[in-house]
Amino acid sequence: MLQHLHLAWCGAGVIGLALAATPARADLVYVLNSTDPSIVKIDSRTGEEVHRIEGLREVHHLVLSPDRKELLIADSSGNEILFVEPATGAVLRRERISNPYHLDFTPDGRLLVVASLRRGQVDIYDANGPRLLERIRAGNKPSHIAFSPDSRFAYVTIQGDGTVMAIDLQERRIAWQTAVGPEPAGIIWHRGRLIIGIMGRDYFAVLNPENRQVESTIRVGRGAHTIFASPDNKTLWATSRVQSRIAEIEPDTLQVRRIHEVPGGPDCLAFAPDGAVWATLRWAGRIARLEPASGEVSTIRVGRSPHGIFVQPRAAR
């Protein structure tokens, strides 16, 4: 069932709240329920579940293949990656992969890098296999991955050690490791800098990878978690799971432009063709649709502990 919440933000808090039925304007939304566990596909215009994939153990993250033909879904406890056709939800195949938690392709599409949170390893695969090329022992809880634009380096947050690790993908070795703050989580490359969610605090750290110094911080709320660039690159969107916020950040100045209060522990984000921002609400068992211009938020109930999320536009109307 779809619910509509209008949140009016005025400096220090929420001053307006209303509930009413409303249609959604996005397309098909894949949601990974990590503790159900299941993968569900939602028709976001009606809020109805249209497809479900069962037989899993613990799904967390997903990534679209470089050719956009397959959605790779990581079942960490099941030790496998599911390859799914985005338009239909059909499982094309399953590959045995050691404890895949977070995963992503290098910008050139040649490598698939997988972080194993439980086993303390980062695996480098040939993207065409996937065939394991190298296993890097990475410390306590390697979490999220980002890349340099030239695909030379992978940057991995090591959650249990409070560090970021740079892995040279050409030489397949650890290049450097530096402290950034307690429980680092989401990470992106942004204009020559790395921006990292410091989950044990209330800010994102801005790290210069050349000198490995934290140059500044962006305060968004307790449990600063993940950060994503909008498709048009005009906004950075950041989440704080503990304080339940989604922040709009100006990409040029890295100043917070606006804070949206979204109860339920927003985690991963995805972007719809109509400009809406979708978020999994980790603690509420829901997903949220945020309309950036108005600040309106609508939610759909899904499964327990929803984590990864992906929006698949309809091919034709």
Side-chain angles (χ1 to χ4, degrees):
M1 180 180 179
L2 205 64
Q3 286 189 317
H4 176 68
L5 288 75
H6 182 266
L7 301 181
W9 171 252
C10 184
V14 175
I15 60 171
L17 176 65
L19 289 174
T22 186
R25 296 188 299 276
D27 299 292
L28 299 171
V29 182
Y30 283 85
V31 183
L32 276 54
N33 299 311
S34 61
T35 60
D36 256 352
S38 61
I39 303 160
V40 295
K41 188 170 70 172
I42 304 292
D43 183 328
S44 59
R45 295 173 303 176
T46 64
E48 297 297 320
E49 179 183 316
V50 296
H51 186 73
R52 175 178 288 256
I53 302 171
E54 305 266 15
L56 307 165
R57 294 187 65 182
E58 189 179 5
V59 284
H60 285 287
H61 292 283
L62 71 173
V63 66
L64 190 64
S65 62
D67 62 9
R68 308 185 69 83
K69 293 181 179 179
E70 296 177 322
L71 195 60
L72 281 68
I73 298 173
D75 185 351
S76 61
S77 293
N79 293 302
E80 66 177 3
I81 292 177
L82 285 74
F83 292 75
V84 173
E85 187 177 50
T88 65
V91 178
L92 302 174
R93 68 187 190 280
R94 298 174 185 249
E95 297 280 354
R96 297 294 295 172
I97 297 289
S98 176
N99 187 221
Y101 176 70
H102 193 262
L103 70 171
D104 206 351
F105 290 94
T106 51
D108 61 13
R110 297 175 61 189
L111 300 174
L112 173 67
V113 180
V114 177
S116 170
L117 190 76
R118 288 197 181 101
R119 294 184 179 172
Q121 65 200 31
V122 175
D123 290 338
I124 303 168
Y125 289 89
D126 181 334
N128 294 321
R131 177 173 60 89
L132 182 64
L133 302 175
E134 193 71 39
R135 174 160 292 162
I136 307 291
R137 296 298 173 185
N140 186 11
K141 296 183 179 179
S143 182
H144 289 63
I145 305 162
F147 299 102
S148 58
D150 62 1
S151 300
R152 176 66 185 270
F153 293 97
Y155 303 100
V156 184
T157 51
I158 312 299
Q159 202 170 108
D161 295 335
T163 63
V164 167
M165 174 181 290
I167 297 174
D168 188 320
L169 295 175
Q170 182 174 307
E171 299 184 7
R172 299 177 192 168
R173 64 175 181 84
I174 298 171
W176 51 262
Q177 189 168 1
T178 191
V180 291
E183 297 182 86
I187 181 171
I188 62 167
W189 176 278
H190 178 70
R191 302 181 184 180
R193 298 295 185 267
L194 293 164
I195 305 179
I196 306 116
I198 307 302
M199 198 162 53
R201 294 290 185 267
D202 63 353
Y203 61 83
F204 284 76
V206 182
L207 177 70
N208 184 333
E210 295 298 321
N211 59 22
R212 276 93 81 182
Q213 297 297 311
V214 174
E215 296 181 336
S216 61
T217 59
I218 309 167
R219 297 192 179 276
V220 298
R222 296 187 305 278
H225 192 62
T226 52
I227 184 165
F228 302 83
S230 63
D232 61 8
N233 291 311
K234 292 182 178 179
T235 305
L236 297 176
W237 291 91
T239 64
S240 63
R241 283 202 314 199
V242 176
Q243 207 158 343
S244 287
R245 290 176 165 180
I246 300 177
E248 297 181 36
I249 299 170
E250 167 59 46
D252 294 325
T253 64
L254 299 184
Q255 298 297 308
V256 175
R257 185 189 295 154
R258 188 180 184 187
I259 293 283
H260 301 272
E261 302 283 347
V262 184
D267 198 312
C268 288
L269 302 179
F271 303 92
D274 63 1
V277 179
W278 287 86
T280 48
L281 302 181
R282 198 74 182 276
W283 319 135
R286 291 179 175 272
I287 56 174
R289 179 187 182 277
L290 168 65
E291 174 56 53
S294 65
E296 294 181 353
V297 177
S298 56
T299 69
I300 301 170
R301 182 169 294 283
V302 288
R304 292 173 300 183
S305 194
H307 200 172
I309 188 168
F310 172 79
V311 175
Q312 169 66 26
R314 291 186 185 275
R317 298 191 182 278

